[in-house]
Amino acid sequence: MTSDVIKRRLAAILSTDVVGYSRLMGDDEEGTFDMLRQCRQTIDSCIAEKGGRIVATGGDSVLAEFPSAVEAVRSALAMQEGIAACNIDLPEERCMRFRIGINLGDVMVSGDDILGDGVNIAARLEQIAEPDSIYISGTVYDQVRNKLDLAYSDLGAQSVKNIDQPVRTYRISPVDAAPAPAS
């Protein structure tokens, strides 16, 4: 039976990519490549520092897994901060804006690769995330809400591409970066 050879584990999965990457490449391939390389140094470092492992990359995207949802979120926050620092001296139209999706779920393991709905949901959250933002699933929220002092915006259940059930989704940000409450 096939299921006897499939290995599974629970993982926090982080998916990220650059918003408007094709436009940036079309405008300035070499400059975009250099900027992406700088951002990737930040991203790779943040993932390693929080105990994560890069599973896959492709152009402007990174897929990483973590043994802890808390550390995946901490990594994402550090990544966004580091990327903002990389953008500081660039004109707005040349800035790299990353979006990040994080899910906690069961994954199938194939060599160094991970597969399954746990990974797909992280990728779908990343796709619907706004530039410079981090979206987490409800399963991640349940693990981090009492451990990390962040601003959590409940976006409700989101329908995402090729996932049967809507995914409870939250946008997170550092408390000091949260929008001011309405008067």
Side-chain angles (χ1 to χ4, degrees), residues 99-146:
R99 57 190 175 185
I100 300 172
I102 305 173
N103 183 42
L104 177 66
D106 195 68
V107 297
M108 295 182 297
V109 180
S110 176
D112 288 336
D113 203 4
I114 56 175
L115 308 131
D117 278 349
V119 174
N120 295 340
I121 290 170
R124 298 307 184 225
L125 290 175
E126 170 257 303
Q127 290 173 348
I128 66 170
E130 298 166 353
D132 302 320
S133 68
I134 303 166
Y135 282 19
I136 63 173
S137 66
T139 56
V140 173
Y141 173 80
D142 290 341
Q143 295 303 308
V144 304
R145 66 188 169 103
N146 293 324

Side-chain angles (χ1 to χ4, degrees), residues 65-123:
E65 75 168 322
F66 294 81
S68 161
V70 169
E71 294 306 321
V73 168
R74 285 180 174 154
S75 178
L77 292 163
M79 287 165 52
Q80 290 293 35
E81 186 176 312
I83 292 162
C86 288
N87 284 328
I88 200 99
D89 293 325
L90 292 176
E92 181 66 29
E93 67 276 3
R94 296 301 310 149
C95 289
M96 290 221 161
R97 306 280 183 217
F98 281 78
R99 57 190 175 185
I100 300 172
I102 305 173
N103 183 42
L104 177 66
D106 195 68
V107 297
M108 295 182 297
V109 180
S110 176
D112 288 336
D113 203 4
I114 56 175
L115 308 131
D117 278 349
V119 174
N120 295 340
I121 290 170

Side-chain angles (χ1 to χ4, degrees), residues 19-83:
V19 177
Y21 181 71
S22 296
R23 178 192 56 80
L24 290 167
M25 286 297 279
D27 290 348
D28 178 6
E29 276 187 341
E30 290 181 8
T32 299
F33 175 76
D34 288 341
M35 184 63 182
L36 180 62
R37 189 171 34 193
Q38 289 176 36
C39 290
R40 276 296 309 276
Q41 287 174 348
T42 297
I43 290 167
D44 294 4
S45 171
C46 291
I47 290 169
E49 287 171 8
K50 300 301 181 192
R53 176 181 77 88
I54 295 175
V55 176
T57 63
D60 65 323
S61 67
V62 175
L63 180 69
E65 75 168 322
F66 294 81
S68 161
V70 169
E71 294 306 321
V73 168
R74 285 180 174 154
S75 178
L77 292 163
M79 287 165 52
Q80 290 293 35
E81 186 176 312
I83 292 162

